[in-house]
Amino acid sequence: MILIYFISALLISVAIVVLRKRGIVRVLASLFILLQVLLTVYAFSHRGETDLKYFTYDHLGVLFLLLLTAVGTLSVYHGFIYFRYREAGRFCYYHAALVGLIASISGAYLANDVTVVWILVEATTLTASVLIYHEKTRTALEATWKYLFLCSTGIAFAYMGILFLSLSLKGSDLHGLSFGTLATLASSANPLYLKIAFIFVFIGYSTKMELFPMHTVGIDANSVAPSPIGALFSSALVNLGFLSIFRMYKALSGSPIYEWMNHILILSGLLSILVAGGYMLKAKYPKRMLAYSSLEMMGLVAIGIGIGGVGPYAALLLVVVHTLVKSSLFFQMGQVNRVLKTLKLDESGRYMNLNPAGALVLLLGMSAILAVPPSGLFVGEYLIFKQMVASQQWLILALVMILLCCVIYGMATRVLHLLFSGPYVQRDEWIPGRVRWTENIGQMIFLALAFLICFYQPPFLVELIRGGIAGIGG
Amino acid sequence: MLNLFITLFAITLFYFSISERFRTYSVLIAVQGILLFGLAFLELKQVNIANFIFIAAETLVFKTFVVPVLLYRIISRTGVYKVHTRAFPSFYILIFTMVGLLVSIILSNVLHAPNVDSVYLAIALFTLFTGVILIVTHKRIFSHMVGFLVIENAVFMFSLAVGSEMPILINVAILLDIFVSVLIIGVMINRVGEHYSDLESENLTRLKH
């Protein structure tokens, strides 16, 4: 199935570039989404099976594939709307790159081999760069340059990490370095090598996870890329970074460096929340603020993994709900831009009067992302705090709580200003854009799911998360 | 012979730290390409002919010829010839580079890898440090790009140090690296150089808050 998927995705991508006509591109993009759904259904119903030697439909892969398919579908739909108001010029390149990006992310989610993951993560850098540069502005160029340069440098570091892994496993060949093999051999490997390997891989993939120390590129990319792409970056691509690090962490958790990895994750998580809290207090653009919110959330996720106990379960729950909420907010940003004709906070305001349905999405999304009950994120954060109390990590608990106050203040004041206050800076005469209320349906469904998870976590979700974290710590 | 190539490679790294002209950087990248081919030729024992052609194409065609030519194009197109703006004076960069070499030697001895020649490992690590030093201590984007290419060379050298063969997955990885390098240089030539003629990274600061 995975081979058919990759070949079909490649053919669709090439056909989009060759055929170019808007109607045909729409059909081909829709066809790709159908293919994506088929792969997801197949992966779900064939859990535990391996395809093409390098791809396994394991719990983690299937969970993230489900999320990607949901966000990807909505991303393609909002992409069609995005282009309704723009020239057709780069329509085909946009969709060809989007197909390439979703296919690369899907492959990386399912890959069971360290090197294959690396190759597919590198492929996402290439396709994502095309999408970031889409609007061809100077800021887009700056973001593309930084993304391409820093991601490639980071990924080169990750590759050094993989080579160190190979060294630590006493000459194991790189073409046999699956996560399973790694988990088996890690306990007898040289801990110093494993530490170096993990730190390189962690730094490299943190470019994708948008986690300290390499968070800056992702933030620039999220704030500059078209909103449907920002939604995909801040959810599916961030999840890819998380999954790449988490798989490595899980494989090495049976080795003597387990505790050391936990310390690294907690430290990086704390620094991520610190940076996010600081920047959110002075954010001037709502998309950039949302990107910093992803940094904060990934920081919490890293801490959740690092504290152990119920933490990893809570962290995966946070990732799931964050994907639903953050993508909804980014999709909504596209509407904000169309209605207010600006994305500067100083020039924005009274969104509730101009687009009530969209404003409701923004208000609910803000409550959900700030983990206000009944948001699903509340459950995840509650479990993480509970674990911190149980393991008596008072300092971390206090620091996280103080920093989260900054995040909550920064985001709430800005979103409420956007919704209810008048603009601080008056612009020349402008006519508000119009948005159909039906465009909000997908975002509303995502938010409803995010709230539902607070009360009811479906058995398949619990099974996928539990299966995903099984085996941590050897 | 192997040690000679490794020593020459280390000398090119020192030369990076004292060079004042971008053209010298391009020449050094070409020289490193030739040396990497020599190292691959001597080091890889279990390599089939297809893989060998692939590696030769990567080192001799791409690293020695294509990339330096593209770098020359950027230099002539932008008219920026000298390194000039650095975050630190040359002397300090040389000191950093020497410290990098010292740290690499110490690390390679501490690591004491059973399957890898410690000299090889030390120089691979030194190459990585030099790439990072080039990126951190220079303000011009051109130097950053050269730093990235040096890091790519470090990765290539390290893959040679680790395995006596090059499996297909590594080749695919290298192929992707080539794509990325060309893409970065392409963006540099066609777009960044067009908009930011002085190639100062300080100009790339529109994205704030």
Side-chain angles (χ1 to χ4, degrees):
Chain A
M1 179 65 191
I2 197 86
L3 185 64
I4 298 170
Y5 171 78
F6 281 134
I7 292 173
S8 309
L10 184 69
L11 290 176
I12 289 172
S13 199
V14 171
I16 285 173
V17 175
V18 173
L19 298 171
R20 286 170 172 261
K21 285 194 174 170
R22 197 176 264 237
I24 297 173
V25 172
R26 275 174 176 245
V27 172
L28 288 169
S30 309
L31 205 65
F32 173 73
I33 287 302
L34 184 67
L35 181 73
Q36 184 71 23
V37 172
L38 283 176
L39 175 75
T40 310
V41 171
Y42 182 87
F44 190 79
S45 54
H46 289 76
R47 266 169 289 168
E49 288 182 18
T50 296
D51 213 345
L52 271 187
K53 189 182 166 189
Y54 294 117
F55 301 92
T56 301
Y57 306 115
D58 63 347
H59 290 92
L60 282 172
V62 171
L63 174 66
F64 283 93
L65 194 63
L66 275 168
L67 293 169
L68 169 64
T69 305
V71 178
T73 306
L74 217 52
S75 189
V76 168
Y77 165 71
H78 280 281
F80 291 161
I81 296 169
Y82 172 81
F83 275 101
R84 203 183 288 158
Y85 303 93
R86 280 170 172 77
E87 287 175 21
R90 291 172 59 85
F91 190 66
C92 56
Y93 294 113
Y94 173 95
H95 283 94
L98 182 60
V99 167
L101 179 66
I102 295 176
S104 318
I105 297 176
S106 301
Y109 283 167
L110 298 172
N112 60 25
D113 188 280
V114 179
T115 319
V116 177
V117 170
W118 183 87
I119 289 168
L120 288 163
V121 170
E122 181 88 314
T124 62
T125 306
L126 294 174
T127 45
S129 306
V130 178
L131 292 164
I132 300 167
Y133 188 56
H134 173 75
E135 289 190 348
K136 286 190 167 182
T137 56
R138 277 184 84 141
T139 45
L141 175 64
E142 184 181 331
T144 310
W145 168 257
K146 286 178 177 173
Y147 189 82
L148 200 54
F149 179 75
L150 284 177
C151 276
S152 305
T153 309
I155 291 168
F157 271 88
Y159 192 66
M160 288 290 274
I162 295 170
L163 292 169
F164 263 104
L165 266 183
S166 166
L167 257 185
S168 66
L169 301 176
K170 291 171 185 156
S172 290
D173 289 332
L174 282 168
H175 54 308
L177 211 58
S178 71
F179 290 106
T181 316
L182 198 57
T184 316
L185 298 176
S187 55
S188 57
N190 183 335
L192 180 61
Y193 283 29
L194 290 182
K195 282 182 183 175
I196 296 174
F198 181 76
I199 207 79
F200 271 123
V201 169
F202 182 76
I203 289 172
Y205 289 143
S206 65
T207 52
K208 296 287 174 188
M209 191 179 164
E210 295 180 19
L211 191 69
F212 187 89
M214 302 287 269
H215 57 280
T216 51
V217 273
I219 284 163
D220 289 345
N222 278 340
S223 55
V224 166
S227 294
I229 300 305
L232 200 64
F233 282 0
S234 62
S235 53
L237 202 55
V238 163
N239 290 354
L240 172 61
F242 164 75
L243 190 60
S244 308
I245 292 172
F246 185 68
R247 281 196 194 279
M248 187 65 74
Y249 167 84
K250 199 176 150 184
L252 299 182
S253 66
S255 72
I257 69 161
Y258 177 52
E259 284 302 321
W260 179 83
M261 287 194 296
N262 287 338
H263 295 321
I264 294 289
L265 285 170
I266 291 172
L267 181 67
S268 177
L270 277 175
L271 290 170
S272 299
I273 304 176
L274 175 71
V275 172
Y279 274 96
M280 281 173 82
L281 288 175
K282 51 181 186 176
K284 290 175 182 162
Y285 294 87
K287 274 170 84 176
R288 206 163 173 81
M289 177 189 69
L290 291 180
Y292 276 112
S293 156
S294 300
L295 173 65
E296 170 251 331
M297 193 51 64
M298 286 305 119
L300 262 181
V301 167
I303 292 172
I305 303 282
I307 56 171
V310 75
Y313 180 90
L316 274 173
L317 195 65
L318 284 185
V319 172
V320 171
V321 183
H322 173 255
T323 302
L324 297 169
V325 179
K326 191 53 65 64
S327 56
S328 301
L329 286 169
F330 264 101
F331 289 131
Q332 188 54 231
M333 281 302 132
Q335 295 184 23
V336 170
N337 195 17
R338 268 163 49 213
V339 171
L340 300 178
K341 309 274 169 66
T342 182
L343 270 175
K344 284 183 183 167
L345 274 167
D346 285 351
E347 295 175 354
S348 314
R350 303 213 190 285
Y351 190 57
M352 186 58 95
N353 294 347
L354 300 168
N355 180 20
L360 188 63
V361 169
L362 212 52
L363 194 61
L364 291 174
M366 180 197 75
S367 319
I369 207 74
L370 294 178
V372 176
S375 163
L377 287 177
F378 171 74
V379 182
E381 290 192 13
Y382 168 74
L383 289 174
I384 289 176
F385 291 141
K386 195 177 151 189
Q387 182 59 36
M388 283 180 192
V389 172
S391 50
Q392 298 188 330
Q393 302 195 22
W394 304 111
L395 182 64
I396 298 171
L397 178 71
L399 284 173
V400 170
M401 284 193 156
I402 292 167
L403 293 172
L404 283 185
C405 288
C406 299
V407 170
I408 292 168
Y409 178 78
M411 180 173 267
T413 48
R414 277 153 185 80
V415 173
L416 293 176
H417 160 72
L418 183 66
L419 292 174
F420 302 111
S421 315
Y424 295 135
V425 177
Q426 294 301 325
R427 285 180 286 164
D428 296 337
E429 199 72 14
W430 62 281
I431 302 162
R434 284 181 168 275
V435 174
R436 275 185 270 182
W437 69 270
T438 47
E439 289 178 24
N440 299 299
I441 292 174
Q443 298 157 39
M444 289 286 195
I445 293 171
F446 274 18
L447 290 176
L449 289 172
F451 285 119
L452 179 72
I453 286 174
C454 184
F455 305 106
Y456 172 72
Q457 291 160 29
F460 81 89
L461 179 67
V462 175
E463 185 214 320
L464 289 176
I465 294 179
R466 286 209 174 128
I469 59 171
I472 290 181
Chain B
M1 195 64 173
L2 195 71
N3 283 340
L4 175 70
F5 279 180
I6 292 174
T7 314
L8 285 173
F9 198 91
I11 291 169
T12 62
L13 295 173
F14 269 108
Y15 215 83
F16 270 117
S17 63
I18 52 168
S19 298
E20 291 286 344
R21 290 176 180 278
F22 284 138
R23 282 194 171 158
T24 316
Y25 280 8
S26 310
V27 173
L28 287 171
I29 289 287
V31 171
Q32 287 199 343
I34 297 169
L35 292 171
L36 284 176
F37 172 74
L39 287 170
F41 182 75
L42 294 171
E43 190 66 19
L44 294 176
K45 294 175 182 74
Q46 302 160 33
V47 64
N48 62 38
I49 188 75
N51 273 357
F52 183 75
I53 292 170
F54 190 93
I55 291 163
E58 198 218 345
T59 48
L60 289 180
V61 178
F62 179 73
K63 287 185 188 287
T64 310
F65 181 72
V66 178
V67 167
V69 166
L70 286 173
L71 292 177
Y72 259 84
R73 273 196 65 190
I74 296 175
I75 296 165
S76 2
R77 193 163 167 162
T78 55
V80 179
Y81 297 98
K82 285 199 168 184
V83 176
H84 272 327
T85 44
R86 286 169 164 152
F88 298 92
S90 277
F91 177 71
Y92 290 115
I93 297 174
L94 187 63
I95 299 287
F96 289 147
T97 312
M98 287 170 79
V99 171
L101 178 62
L102 194 68
V103 170
S104 308
I105 292 169
I106 293 169
L107 257 178
S108 65
N109 279 299
V110 170
L111 290 171
H112 194 65
N115 309 313
V116 183
D117 182 352
S118 61
V119 178
Y120 218 124
L121 184 62
I123 299 304
L125 286 172
F126 179 40
T127 313
L128 183 73
F129 281 128
T130 309
V132 175
I133 288 169
L134 269 172
I135 292 171
V136 174
T137 58
H138 287 68
K139 288 185 178 175
R140 285 205 155 131
I141 306 166
F142 188 92
S143 308
H144 296 176
M145 195 171 54
V146 172
F148 170 71
L149 292 169
V150 171
I151 290 174
E152 292 275 281
N153 285 347
V155 172
F156 185 89
M157 202 169 179
F158 206 68
S159 352
L160 285 176
V162 171
S164 57
E165 57 175 318
M166 280 269 185
I168 186 72
L169 279 180
I170 303 298
N171 281 334
V172 174
I174 289 171
L175 191 69
L176 262 174
D177 263 354
I178 293 174
F179 269 126
V180 170
S181 309
V182 169
L183 192 66
I184 288 182
I185 295 171
V187 169
M188 181 84 180
I189 292 176
N190 292 317
R191 303 290 173 208
V192 181
E194 210 172 84
H195 289 284
Y196 304 93
S197 54
D198 52 357
L199 294 179
E200 290 281 343
S201 61
E202 280 178 349
N203 293 334
L204 295 173
T205 50
R206 282 174 170 243
L207 290 165
K208 274 186 176 173
H209 314 315

